[in-house]
Amino acid sequence: MCGTMVQAFEQRGDAVTLSDLYAMNFNPVLSGADFKERRDPNYLIYALEQRHALEQGALADDIAREVERVEAADLLAFSFPLFWFSPPAILKGWIERVFLSGLFYGGRRVYDRAGLVGKRAFTAFSLGGRPHMFGDEGIHGELETGMLKHFLQGTLGYVGLTVYEPFAAFHVPYISADERADLLTRLRLTIADLDQRPTMAFPSLEDFDLHFRPKPMEV
Amino acid sequence: MCGTMVQAFEQRGDAVTLSDLYAMNFNPVLSGADFKERRDPNYLIYALEQRHALEQGALADDIAREVERVEAADLLAFSFPLFWFSPPAILKGWIERVFLSGLFYGGRRVYDRAGLVGKRAFTAFSLGGRPHMFGDEGIHGELETGMLKHFLQGTLGYVGLTVYEPFAAFHVPYISADERADLLTRLRLTIADLDQRPTMAFPSLEDFDLHFRPKPMEV
C-alpha cells in the first residue's frame, strides 16, 4: 500500500519524500536525549523542552530532519496496518517526538488555529475487520469518528491539518490476491481523485471561549 | 502516580509485580526477531507467527516474561501520561508484542469471549486538559468512550478484561504541588475502594451472530 501511494502521488506530479520508519530504524521512545541542550536537566517536561530546543536549534538530528519534512510538505500521507485500532507504536513514537509543542500546536493554537493549518493529510490503513463490524450498529461502533477519533481528530485535526476521509483496506489478511490487487487499484484511484475527496469535520475554536468552554448559542 | 498505585495495591494486601517499561528499556517495535522459530521466514504475518511461537515455545524472552506476568495477574493496572489521546509509544508497543493472538484473543474470542475474561483492568493517566474540555459539549468530545475508546474498549475490553472507569489526573502540568498531592490522595482512595468502582459497558458477543452481524432484536 505504501508503494502504491508513492507511485500514485508521483503520477499526480507531486514530489514525494518517504519516511519509511522501519527501514530508518526510527526510535519511537521519547527521552531527555531528544534535546542537545536542556532547559531543566533535572526534570523532564517534554513539551517545554521541545519549545526550548526549537528556539535553541537543539533538537536531536533524527527529530529535526522529520520536522523539516513536515514543514516542507503540502500534504502528509500516512500508511500503516491498524493495530489495536491505532497506528503502530513506531508511528505513535514519531508523532510524540516530531509533532512539536510550540510549532505545531500549543495553548489555544489547536484545531483550526494550530500550526499546520493549510496543510492536508491522507491516511490509508489495512485491518483484519470487515465493514459490517463498524458503524452505528457494528460491534466496534464507528471507525473513523469512534475507534480512530484519537488519531484522525485528536492528532491530525488537533495540529490543524485538513483531513481527508481515510482509505480503509478491510479484511486484508483473509482475502484473495485478486481482491488485494483490487484494493490497490482503488487506493490508486482514490489518490488520483484526492482533491474531490470529502474531508472530516472537526471542532472550530470559533465555537469556544478563551478557556475552551462552549460559547453560548447566538439567538 | 505509578509509585502511589504500587503502594495503594500493596496496602490492600495485593502482591504487585511492576513492569516499568522505560526502566526496562522495553523494545516497543515488533519484528520477525520476536520469534525464535518462524512459521514462514519469508513473509511476516505477525499474528500467525504469534500463534506459532506460542505453540512452539519460541517467543522472544522479553515477550515471554511479560506474557507470563499477564497470565499470573488477577488485575492489570496501567499508569501513563496521555500523549495525543492515547498511551505512549512504549506502552503501545508492549500491547502489540505481548497481547498475543490465539492466547488473549482470536477469531470469535473477543470481548466477553476473549482470553482474559475473569481478569480486571484499572488505568490511571495524567493529561494537560481540563474536565470541561470533554463530554458531550466539550471541544474534544467524550474522553473515556470517545478519544480513549480505542484503548479502553478496543484493547482492554477486546481481550476480555473487566475495565474499571479510569482515573484521570487533569491539567497536571499547570496545577500547584498541593493540588498534585491531592490527586495522589484521590488515586490512593480510588484503589482502596476499587471493588466498588463502576466498570465500563462493552459489546457482548451474545448480541452478534457468527459473523459479528447484529442479531435481530427479539420481540
Side-chain angles (χ1 to χ4, degrees):
Chain A
M1 287 174 66
C2 177
T4 294
M5 289 168 78
V6 170
Q7 282 179 2
F9 280 109
E10 286 175 344
Q11 281 166 6
R12 286 162 49 109
D14 296 328
V16 176
T17 304
L18 175 65
S19 291
D20 181 340
L21 301 184
Y22 290 106
M24 292 156 63
N25 199 25
F26 186 81
N27 167 29
V29 179
L30 54 77
S31 77
D34 291 352
F35 313 108
K36 294 177 183 174
E37 181 197 301
R38 290 276 292 274
R39 176 185 153 277
D40 181 349
N42 299 312
Y43 193 80
L44 178 64
I45 301 180
Y46 197 78
L48 295 184
E49 295 292 346
Q50 283 182 321
R51 289 166 178 245
H52 179 75
L54 186 64
E55 286 165 15
Q56 305 293 319
L59 287 166
D61 295 340
D62 63 337
I63 298 174
R65 186 190 50 205
E66 295 302 306
V67 170
E68 277 172 30
R69 288 180 170 184
V70 171
E71 291 201 281
D74 298 310
L75 184 147
L76 305 184
F78 297 91
S79 167
F80 53 85
L82 199 65
F83 292 153
W84 301 99
F85 303 108
S86 61
I90 197 166
L91 175 54
K92 179 67 201 308
W94 182 91
I95 292 162
E96 291 171 11
R97 296 180 70 224
V98 173
F99 274 17
L100 297 181
S101 179
L103 188 63
F104 293 175
Y105 74 97
R108 280 190 42 83
R109 295 177 55 246
V110 300
Y111 292 128
D112 57 353
R113 295 193 188 160
L116 298 187
V117 166
K119 297 182 190 293
R120 295 164 291 145
F122 173 67
T123 298
F125 57 87
S126 61
L127 71 167
R130 309 181 71 163
H132 70 259
M133 297 175 187
F134 298 94
D136 193 32
E137 306 254 294
I139 187 166
H140 305 307
E142 298 294 342
L143 179 56
E144 293 85 353
T145 57
M147 283 292 188
L148 280 172
K149 184 174 181 181
H150 67 105
F151 179 68
L152 296 169
Q153 173 175 327
T155 304
L156 304 184
Y158 193 87
V159 295
L161 293 162
T162 297
V163 179
Y164 289 112
E165 287 184 3
F167 180 93
F170 288 100
H171 214 44
V172 161
Y174 313 108
I175 59 180
S176 68
D178 280 354
E179 288 170 307
R180 283 199 287 267
D182 184 57
L183 280 173
L184 293 179
T185 300
R186 289 207 293 114
L187 176 56
R188 195 184 308 274
L189 294 172
T190 297
I191 292 170
D193 259 351
L194 198 59
D195 298 341
Q196 311 305 320
R197 194 167 180 83
T199 57
M200 297 183 70
F202 298 136
S204 167
L205 272 282
E206 295 299 317
D207 299 325
F208 296 85
D209 71 14
L210 286 172
H211 304 286
F212 294 104
R213 291 187 194 276
K215 285 184 187 169
M217 298 276 278
E218 282 173 38
V219 285
Chain B
M1 288 176 67
C2 177
T4 295
M5 289 169 77
V6 169
Q7 281 179 2
F9 280 110
E10 285 177 345
Q11 279 166 7
R12 286 163 48 109
D14 296 329
V16 176
T17 305
L18 174 65
S19 291
D20 181 340
L21 301 183
Y22 291 105
M24 291 156 63
N25 200 23
F26 187 80
N27 167 28
V29 181
L30 54 75
S31 78
D34 291 351
F35 313 108
K36 294 177 183 173
E37 183 196 299
R38 291 276 293 273
R39 176 183 154 275
D40 181 349
N42 299 312
Y43 192 80
L44 179 63
I45 302 180
Y46 197 78
L48 296 183
E49 294 292 347
Q50 284 182 319
R51 289 166 178 245
H52 180 74
L54 186 65
E55 286 165 13
Q56 304 292 318
L59 287 165
D61 296 338
D62 63 336
I63 298 174
R65 187 191 47 205
E66 295 302 307
V67 170
E68 278 172 29
R69 287 181 172 184
V70 171
E71 291 200 281
D74 298 310
L75 184 147
L76 304 184
F78 297 91
S79 167
F80 52 86
L82 199 65
F83 293 153
W84 301 99
F85 303 109
S86 61
I90 198 167
L91 174 55
K92 179 68 202 307
W94 182 91
I95 292 162
E96 291 171 10
R97 297 179 71 223
V98 173
F99 275 16
L100 298 180
S101 179
L103 188 62
F104 293 175
Y105 74 97
R108 280 191 40 82
R109 295 177 55 247
V110 299
Y111 293 128
D112 57 352
R113 294 192 189 162
L116 298 188
V117 166
K119 299 182 191 293
R120 294 164 291 147
F122 173 67
T123 298
F125 57 87
S126 60
L127 71 167
R130 308 182 70 162
H132 70 260
M133 297 175 186
F134 297 94
D136 193 31
E137 306 254 294
I139 188 166
H140 305 307
E142 298 294 342
L143 179 56
E144 293 85 352
T145 58
M147 284 290 187
L148 280 173
K149 185 175 180 180
H150 67 105
F151 178 68
L152 296 169
Q153 173 175 329
T155 305
L156 304 184
Y158 193 88
V159 295
L161 293 162
T162 298
V163 179
Y164 290 111
E165 287 183 2
F167 180 94
F170 288 99
H171 214 43
V172 161
Y174 312 107
I175 60 180
S176 67
D178 280 353
E179 288 169 308
R180 283 200 286 269
D182 183 57
L183 280 173
L184 293 180
T185 300
R186 289 206 294 113
L187 177 55
R188 194 185 306 274
L189 293 173
T190 298
I191 292 171
D193 257 352
L194 198 59
D195 299 342
Q196 311 305 321
R197 194 166 179 84
T199 58
M200 297 183 70
F202 298 136
S204 168
L205 272 283
E206 295 300 316
D207 299 326
F208 296 86
D209 71 13
L210 287 171
H211 304 285
F212 294 104
R213 290 186 195 278
K215 286 181 185 170
M217 297 277 278
E218 281 172 36
V219 284

